[in-house]
Amino acid sequence: MNIYEFLPIRLLVEAAYTVVTGISDILEPLAGGFSAALAVIVLTVLVRAVLIPVGVSQVRAGITRKRLAPKISELQKKYKKQPELMQQKLMELYKEENASPFAGCLPVLAQMPVLMAVYGLFINATIDGHANELLGHTLFGLPLDTSFVKLLGAGDLTGTAITVYLILVVLIAVVAGFSRHLLTPATPETPTAPPAKNGADAPAMPDLSGVTKTLSFMPFLTAIFALFVPLAAALYLATTTTWTLGERLVLNKLLGANDPHPEQSSATRG
């Protein structure tokens, strides 16, 4: 079954097609053959601008986790010999503070439908019953519907293709490196409690350090993923990854995420 025949996804692709072709038509007098590629970048910027509130909530969640770090360490020491009770107390603490270890996933999850739509724009020959005119657009002579792996498998890899994909992959990897070192918050490890003696499982407390570490590696995986998707989707990934770094740096500064006393900063900004 073709997932792009599923009505919600089909409508999403059709909407994205209207937006991208509309932007491309506007840019064509100035950008010429680069209009479609630029339209994908503009679409990415528009989507990320709409998702700024999600980024704000993500930064605030990080501030909350940083503020709670001393309390978490205290609970871990206090209930070291009572892991089930410690888990319960930790869960109560996070619930009271409305903190979530999965806040870092929100921007990624929110963008997935858009990435799926951009991918669909460049793999479907027809959209809404009409020929997909985007398939004829290129970037430096490379079709936007091709991928590095596809070119490699067909033996059509040229110097231009290697250069373009090298720039995209290096850009994503470098931005990922900066993001990991500058933006990954330090969170205390939360030990996992063993099963209760009566056979019932104790409430599972997420390992915040493990979640954070996993999320911090996702941009590096994005660099590899960019080699397998159409060039247009790789442009989307490079643009959104770069936006993420810039957005987080700005929001961290505005919201005081890097302040030594986040509890005081959050109260001031309250």
Side-chain angles (χ1 to χ4, degrees), residues 85-120:
L85 183 57
M86 180 181 64
Q87 278 203 334
Q88 179 181 343
K89 294 296 183 181
L90 288 172
M91 293 178 69
E92 290 174 357
L93 176 63
Y94 281 106
K95 185 177 181 179
E96 291 173 1
E97 297 290 341
N98 293 320
S100 171
F102 304 108
C105 300
L106 292 178
V108 176
L109 296 177
Q111 289 182 79
M112 286 304 296
V114 182
L115 177 59
M116 182 180 295
V118 173
Y119 184 86

Side-chain angles (χ1 to χ4, degrees), residues 12-254:
L12 180 63
V13 172
E14 291 174 1
Y17 181 79
T18 300
V19 173
V20 172
T21 53
I23 296 175
S24 179
D25 291 342
I26 294 173
L27 295 176
E28 189 170 8
L30 297 174
F34 296 98
S35 61
L38 288 176
V40 172
I41 295 176
V42 171
L43 173 65
T44 309
V45 172
L46 293 176
V47 170
R48 290 312 307 267
V50 172
L51 293 177
I52 287 178
V54 178
V56 172
S57 66
Q58 180 185 23
V59 172
R60 285 178 173 167
I63 294 174
T64 300
R65 290 195 297 270
K66 182 178 180 181
R67 176 168 55 82
L68 294 180
K71 295 182 180 180
I72 294 175
S73 297
E74 183 179 344
L75 288 174
Q76 290 174 344
K77 292 178 181 179
K78 183 176 181 180
Y79 299 103
K80 182 178 181 180
K81 297 181 179 181
Q82 298 173 285
E84 293 89 352
L85 183 57
M86 180 181 64
Q87 278 203 334
Q88 179 181 343
K89 294 296 183 181
L90 288 172
M91 293 178 69
E92 290 174 357
L93 176 63
Y94 281 106
K95 185 177 181 179
E96 291 173 1
E97 297 290 341
N98 293 320
S100 171
F102 304 108
C105 300
L106 292 178
V108 176
L109 296 177
Q111 289 182 79
M112 286 304 296
V114 182
L115 177 59
M116 182 180 295
V118 173
Y119 184 86
L121 289 179
F122 293 91
I123 65 171
N124 290 306
T126 60
I127 295 179
D128 195 20
H130 303 286
N132 185 356
E133 62 180 60
L134 290 175
L135 299 183
H137 288 269
T138 62
L139 176 64
F140 298 112
L142 297 174
L144 291 178
D145 63 336
T146 192
S147 70
F148 180 86
V149 172
K150 184 178 179 180
L151 291 173
L152 180 63
D156 295 331
L157 206 57
T158 63
T160 300
I162 294 175
T163 301
V164 170
Y165 278 99
L166 181 63
I167 291 174
L168 291 175
V169 171
V170 169
L171 174 62
I172 295 173
V174 168
V175 171
F178 276 110
S179 298
R180 177 171 169 75
H181 289 289
L182 297 178
L183 305 179
T184 301
T187 54
E189 293 187 1
T190 305
T192 302
K197 295 180 178 180
N198 59 5
D201 292 333
M205 183 65 202
D207 183 349
L208 299 184
S209 61
V211 171
T212 301
K213 290 177 182 178
T214 300
L215 291 174
S216 68
F217 278 106
M218 288 186 67
F220 292 105
L221 298 178
T222 300
I224 299 175
F225 184 61
L227 298 173
F228 292 83
V229 297
L231 178 56
L235 286 173
Y236 179 92
L237 294 173
T239 305
T240 193
T241 303
T242 304
W243 175 286
T244 297
L245 175 60
E247 179 185 83
R248 287 295 303 276
L249 288 173
V250 172
L251 290 179
N252 280 1
K253 179 68 175 179
L254 294 177

Side-chain angles (χ1 to χ4, degrees), residues 251-269:
L251 290 179
N252 280 1
K253 179 68 175 179
L254 294 177
L255 299 177
N258 299 321
D259 291 350
H261 302 291
E263 67 281 355
Q264 297 176 4
S265 301
S266 59
T268 301
R269 291 170 175 79

